[in-house]
Amino acid sequence: MNIVLLGAPGAGKGTQAAKLVEEFNTPHISTGDMLRAAVAAGTELGLKAKSYMDAGDLVPDDVIIGLVTERLQEPDTANGFILDGFPRTSPQAVALDAELSKLGRPLDAALLIDVDPEVIVNRLTSRRMCRACGYIGTEADGPTCPKCGGEMYQRDDDNEATVRNRLDVYEKSTSPLIDYYRGCELLVTIDGDRDPNVVYADVKEALNL
Ligand SMILES: [Zn+2]
């Protein structure tokens, strides 16, 4: 399974990726994590990326594509990969396709975990976390953590204005990408507004797993 994972922040993308990793042992390749790892390991591309990051600039597409290509040469990706956080735009998707076809490992699907933005706003703004143990719950848990009795609080970026802004940014940058994958007949859309296990069953069915 060679897949790109798409979905708004709060759509449950991470949960679905974790389930795929657990069941199929497919590496979950998050470009954010990979950049940090390459920088820490001091690889040539890592050093290049670091020079942009240190200057406060975005790491250019060719550097990220280089990292992804490098990562895909590692043996653990032989049976597939789940790419998360890249591509973010359609030009990046085109570049990624070119690299993957050079490697002879084209994408099988772009999997979109689709959730109505209003549902996500509700999900995220009702999220509460425990200061003591990190438990993630909801408003319904009340002021104390059901696990450890610690204080429950709301993360700053889970307030409504911030959540709406994050969703707007996602929508603007990702809609052309979704159109691109639809055009390539690679887009698989799963209704993410259901129990995570039900969503997962659909994901597997859609990917013929
Ligand atoms: Zn707690």
Side-chain angles (χ1 to χ4, degrees):
M1 113 185 69
N2 299 343
I3 65 173
V4 162
L5 200 53
L6 303 170
K13 207 163 51 117
T15 306
Q16 296 303 317
K19 285 176 181 293
L20 287 169
V21 171
E22 195 188 340
E23 185 169 351
F24 299 99
N25 212 12
T26 309
H28 175 215
I29 301 179
S30 145
T31 43
D33 292 349
M34 231 168 40
L35 267 179
R36 284 184 286 277
V39 170
T43 65
E44 194 184 325
L45 280 165
L47 292 174
K48 205 165 161 192
K50 187 173 186 296
S51 66
Y52 290 98
M53 288 153 86
D54 286 349
D57 292 329
L58 282 176
V59 180
D61 289 358
D62 62 322
V63 176
I64 307 223
I65 300 238
L67 276 172
V68 170
T69 311
E70 213 171 69
R71 178 67 182 84
L72 293 177
Q73 325 268 341
E74 286 174 37
D76 66 330
T77 67
N79 294 320
F81 54 85
I82 303 165
L83 208 49
D84 184 3
F86 188 87
R88 283 196 193 279
T89 62
S90 38
Q92 289 180 350
V94 172
L96 177 67
D97 278 351
E99 284 302 322
L100 290 176
S101 82
K102 266 191 238 164
L103 293 171
R105 306 171 66 186
L107 286 180
D108 297 315
L111 184 67
L112 170 65
I113 309 297
D114 194 33
V115 179
D116 184 274
E118 290 309 312
V119 172
I120 294 184
V121 169
N122 264 325
R123 261 190 203 178
L124 293 184
T125 57
S126 67
R127 185 161 70 174
R128 298 292 183 274
M129 295 170 129
C130 172
R131 280 194 203 283
C133 73
Y135 161 79
I136 299 172
T138 71
E139 227 174 346
D141 289 319
T144 51
C145 172
K147 303 250 170 190
C148 78
E151 185 198 350
M152 296 292 284
Y153 76 107
Q154 182 178 34
R155 270 176 22 169
D156 286 345
D157 54 355
D158 283 346
N159 77 66
E160 188 171 337
T162 310
V163 167
R164 287 195 186 278
N165 184 47
R166 273 155 66 200
L167 289 175
D168 279 352
V169 169
Y170 165 80
E171 178 72 29
K172 283 200 185 83
S173 62
T174 314
S175 324
L177 188 60
I178 289 172
D179 291 342
Y180 171 79
Y181 282 125
R182 189 178 286 122
C184 302
E185 296 185 349
L186 285 175
L187 188 71
V188 173
T189 305
I190 304 289
D191 173 8
D193 186 16
R194 294 169 301 161
D195 178 89
N197 292 318
V198 176
V199 174
Y200 185 56
D202 266 14
V203 164
K204 287 204 290 186
E205 198 186 325
L207 297 175
N208 296 315
L209 295 172

